[in-house]
Amino acid sequence: MLTKLNFPRLYRLYRLLDAGRLRALARRSEMGMVFAGIAVGVTSGLAVTGMSLLSRELHRLIFGISDIERLSSSQTNDKFLLLMAPVCGGMLLGLLFFILARTRKKPMIDPIEANALHGGRLSLTDSIIVAVQNLVSNGFGASVGLEAGYVQLAAGIASKLGLKLQLRRADLRVLVGCGAAGAIAAAFNAPLTGAFYAFELIIGTYTIVSLTPVVVSALVSTLVARLLAGSDFMIDVGEFGTVVPADYIPALLLGAFSAGVGILIMQGVAFIEELARKSSVPTPLRPALGGIVVGLLAMITPQVLSAGHGALHLNLGRDVAVPVLVGLLLLKSFASAISIGSGFRGGLFFASLFMGALLGKLFAYAAPYFAHATLTPVIYAVVGMSSLAVAVIGGPLTMTFLALEITGDFPITALVLAAVITSSLVVRNTFGYSFATWRFHLRGESIRSAHDVGWIRNLTVDKLMRSDVKTAKVSITIDDFKKAFPIGSRQRVILVDDSDKYAGIVLVPEIYASPVATDDEGKDLKDFIRYRNDFLQPQMNAKQAAAIFDKTESEALAVLSNLIERRVVGQLSESYTLRRYSEELDRRRREVSGEI
């Protein structure tokens, strides 16, 4: 038996790692969240390194490339292999879809949706499944990156840890952000990029309270990835020139142009998905068909395969003719849209960086039209990378810090900041969505970011209403009504018909004050009925209820079971709804600011 007297050191370690103590530490102090962030950073670094090594090994085994080669920059000449590898990957992925359709009925949610609607609750099993699907897609050459899998797996582990520690809603959301920050930081060897990815895209806001755990997680994850994989994740832009003030005008134009290209790419993915849905092709067969198209494009150039790490370095380090740049940009855009639209799992993070670099180098050939601007190809490749990634992924500061961390040059960073702000502004005002939120929109979700709106949906009418309501038959006479409801007994009465269906509301003071009700004996209540077709339903949230109160100008409404039965289950007042809504809103504000 482990006791303080027999094994003092082990006993102290046991007490330190006691689940109850860890739970209390995480819930009661900021230092507890910092320690949780460190733990998440370690697991994120391990997850990213493991997935990356598995992907590289799959590329080596399937395509026969060397350990030091990247798939998209390899010199593979076996056309049949280039064609069949994505097809086989699509068949394997289709088999996984078929199995999952029979075993798992709930839709899988990503970290943005989890933080926006579910208070940071993610299924670790679903996250592992998504990571495996992403590995299969990327490993067999589909034109998708691993960043989606990195973030999903790291955030899933973070959410599981947070649930074990029984963290509050706000703290659990921050811990999920720590997982995402660690994943992106390790993926790009860029801790600031990872931290602001979490703030802008996963948590949805930046606060002093969330700063320390998120940044610590990103730093720890980067260190773990460096120790295990060295410089495997670094983006090397090579030699670049200097920035002059005249470069800002073309950079702003490049930002606006990148926004347009990004919107076309997102709509292209949506168009292909819609085409696949409307077709008679079963879901498990769609990735294989998409693999055929990707394989045919890979026969033209292997640079369209996988995320494009090797192709990015290949095109940054050499002069490329305009027709080749245009061809690569079109082929990669089409391959990425086909891959995601046909069902391959993955994201457009690195693909958008690669396509943005091609776009920036193309733009650099416009030098004769901008006097005094340097338009150095490498500099504009970095500007294009950041601008197109902002248009597709979102997060202006995320991409600005990525440019800073891969170049280490502040003048280039300032140029990138001007371009990404322009790109973000154009996308928000003309399109209104990033790639993730656009897909939510297509599914019918109304969220535009990871900002926490789930608590509003949880504050439903059935949790706010009074269920002890008295009703009266609509056929009752005014005299009988007055006997049943004396003046001052209540403000309003809900009426139902003979089959107990909702018929409307009458105001008691109005009946007593009406001369018609006084003079005519035996008169019924039909002249006093209000809100015949205005009512609430239990599943409505407080925001929807407040909108109906405002529209009907009513102080209280009946709550009906559904539109078919129209059975009265309760009553809700506008004043109580607004008070509870304000209380919850203030509570969320205090949680974000760290007051509670």
Side-chain angles (χ1 to χ4, degrees):
M1 182 177 179
L2 184 63
T3 65
K4 186 176 182 180
L5 294 176
N6 296 337
F7 303 96
R9 291 185 179 177
L10 287 177
Y11 182 79
R12 284 196 295 268
L13 181 61
Y14 168 77
R15 292 285 292 171
L16 181 64
L17 298 178
D18 178 67
R21 285 176 173 268
L22 292 175
R23 189 179 299 122
L25 179 64
R27 286 175 61 90
R28 295 176 185 173
S29 72
E30 288 189 39
M31 283 305 301
M33 282 297 295
V34 173
F35 290 136
I38 292 172
V40 169
V42 172
T43 58
S44 299
L46 292 173
V48 169
T49 305
M51 284 187 65
S52 177
L53 292 177
L54 284 173
S55 174
R56 294 285 293 272
E57 189 65 19
L58 283 173
H59 292 165
R60 189 181 67 82
L61 292 174
I62 296 169
F63 294 93
I65 62 176
S66 65
D67 292 335
I68 59 173
E69 277 186 301
R70 291 279 194 174
L71 177 60
S72 56
S73 60
S74 64
Q75 301 299 318
T76 305
N77 294 318
D78 190 339
K79 301 295 185 183
F80 182 75
L81 180 62
L82 291 173
L83 173 63
M84 290 307 299
V87 177
C88 293
M91 293 172 65
L92 180 57
L93 197 62
L95 179 61
L96 289 175
F97 287 159
F98 179 76
I99 295 172
L100 290 173
R102 292 176 173 269
T103 58
R104 302 187 73 83
K105 301 301 182 183
K106 290 184 177 180
M108 298 182 186
I109 61 174
D110 73 357
I112 296 177
E113 187 178 2
N115 263 8
L117 301 177
H118 307 290
R121 291 176 174 269
L122 269 171
S123 167
L124 180 57
T125 303
D126 286 353
S127 297
I128 293 172
I129 291 172
V130 170
V132 170
Q133 292 173 338
N134 196 183
L135 268 175
V136 171
S137 301
N138 182 276
F140 280 83
S143 190
V144 294
L146 286 171
E147 291 78 22
Y150 293 157
V151 172
Q152 183 79 37
L153 183 56
I157 294 171
S159 180
K160 186 70 172 180
L161 175 62
L163 292 173
K164 288 291 184 183
L165 294 175
Q166 297 180 3
L167 294 182
R168 299 178 184 87
R169 183 186 184 94
D171 291 338
L172 184 58
R173 294 180 72 254
V174 170
L175 203 61
V176 169
C178 290
I184 295 299
F188 292 97
N189 193 31
L192 288 176
T193 301
F196 277 86
Y197 178 90
F199 291 135
E200 292 186 303
L201 301 175
I202 305 299
I203 302 175
T205 185
Y206 162 84
T207 65
I208 297 297
V209 176
S210 61
L211 174 65
T212 305
V214 169
V215 171
V216 165
S217 177
L219 287 169
V220 170
S221 181
T222 305
L223 291 174
V224 170
R226 285 180 184 175
L227 288 172
L228 296 177
S231 60
D232 192 46
F233 298 104
M234 296 185 68
I235 298 176
D236 184 12
V237 298
E239 296 293 329
F240 49 84
T242 58
V243 174
V244 298
D247 282 316
Y248 278 86
I249 294 177
L252 293 174
L253 293 175
L254 177 56
F257 191 68
S258 297
V261 173
I263 292 170
L264 288 176
I265 292 172
M266 290 185 282
Q267 290 186 324
V269 172
F271 174 76
I272 293 171
E273 286 181 328
E274 183 65 19
L275 197 65
R277 276 194 296 269
K278 290 181 178 179
S279 69
S280 58
V281 180
T283 301
L285 296 181
R286 293 172 191 171
L289 294 178
I292 294 175
V293 178
V294 173
L296 291 172
L297 296 175
M299 292 174 67
I300 302 174
T301 172
Q303 292 189 41
V304 303
L305 294 174
S306 190
H309 287 79
L312 174 63
H313 290 101
L314 191 65
N315 288 280
L316 279 176
R318 66 180 186 181
D319 292 331
V320 184
V322 172
V324 176
L325 287 174
V326 173
L328 276 177
L329 180 60
L330 293 176
L331 289 174
K332 182 64 177 178
S333 302
F334 189 47
S336 295
I338 287 291
S339 296
I340 296 177
S342 62
F344 282 103
R345 277 283 187 177
L348 289 174
F349 197 125
F350 202 92
S352 63
L353 293 177
F354 174 40
M355 291 185 284
L358 297 176
L359 190 63
K361 292 198 77 171
L362 267 173
F363 201 82
Y365 284 101
Y369 302 100
F370 299 97
H372 308 299
T374 62
L375 285 164
T376 308
V378 174
I379 291 177
Y380 279 81
V382 174
V383 175
M385 285 168 52
S386 305
S387 301
L388 187 58
V390 162
V392 176
I393 306 300
L397 288 179
T398 300
M399 301 310 167
T400 302
F401 279 112
L402 179 61
L404 175 61
E405 290 179 300
I406 65 177
T407 64
D409 189 271
F410 282 98
I412 291 179
T413 303
L415 192 68
V416 166
L417 180 60
V420 299
I421 288 174
T422 303
S423 178
S424 179
L425 183 66
V426 171
V427 170
R428 285 202 318 272
N429 283 278
T430 59
F431 190 62
Y433 300 93
S434 66
F435 181 62
T437 55
W438 171 238
R439 293 166 75 83
F440 294 149
H441 169 72
L442 294 177
R443 276 172 28 204
E445 288 286 356
S446 59
I447 56 175
R448 295 292 186 95
S449 70
H451 190 75
D452 190 7
V453 296
W455 66 269
I456 299 176
R457 299 191 178 191
N458 292 333
L459 192 65
T460 52
V461 168
D462 65 330
K463 295 178 181 178
L464 299 174
M465 70 181 187
R466 288 183 55 186
S467 56
D468 57 335
V469 293
K470 290 186 177 181
T471 61
K473 294 292 184 179
V474 70
S475 57
I476 190 175
T477 65
I478 291 179
D479 288 338
D480 291 338
F481 181 88
K482 287 182 177 181
K483 292 176 183 178
F485 303 99
I487 184 71
S489 61
R490 57 185 59 246
Q491 283 291 108
R492 56 190 56 80
V493 175
I494 299 173
L495 300 181
V496 295
D497 60 19
D498 292 334
S499 58
D500 286 333
K501 289 187 176 183
Y502 173 74
I505 295 176
V506 293
L507 302 180
V508 175
E510 187 177 272
I511 292 177
Y512 277 91
S514 173
V516 176
T518 305
D519 297 339
D520 295 346
E521 293 185 3
K523 190 173 179 65
D524 59 28
L525 299 171
K526 64 180 181 180
D527 293 332
F528 300 93
I529 297 177
R530 299 187 178 198
Y531 315 118
R532 297 176 186 270
N533 296 309
D534 297 317
F535 49 84
L536 304 174
Q537 295 183 68
Q539 71 273 17
M540 290 179 175
N541 61 53
K543 193 173 183 180
Q544 293 171 321
I548 293 176
F549 281 125
D550 187 57
K551 177 184 176 182
T552 60
E553 299 181 356
S554 172
E555 295 180 0
L557 288 172
V559 182
L560 307 190
S561 56
N562 54 57
L563 296 175
I564 305 299
E565 295 179 354
R566 291 174 65 92
R567 182 171 54 85
V568 178
V569 295
Q571 178 180 300
L572 182 62
S573 67
E574 181 183 27
S575 59
Y576 182 72
T577 302
L578 295 179
R579 185 170 79 249
R580 288 287 291 115
Y581 181 78
S582 299
E583 288 172 355
E584 288 295 322
L585 192 63
D586 183 61
R587 177 178 175 80
R588 303 307 165 187
R589 180 194 61 78
R590 291 166 63 200
E591 284 182 348
V592 168
S593 64
E595 295 178 34
I596 58 174

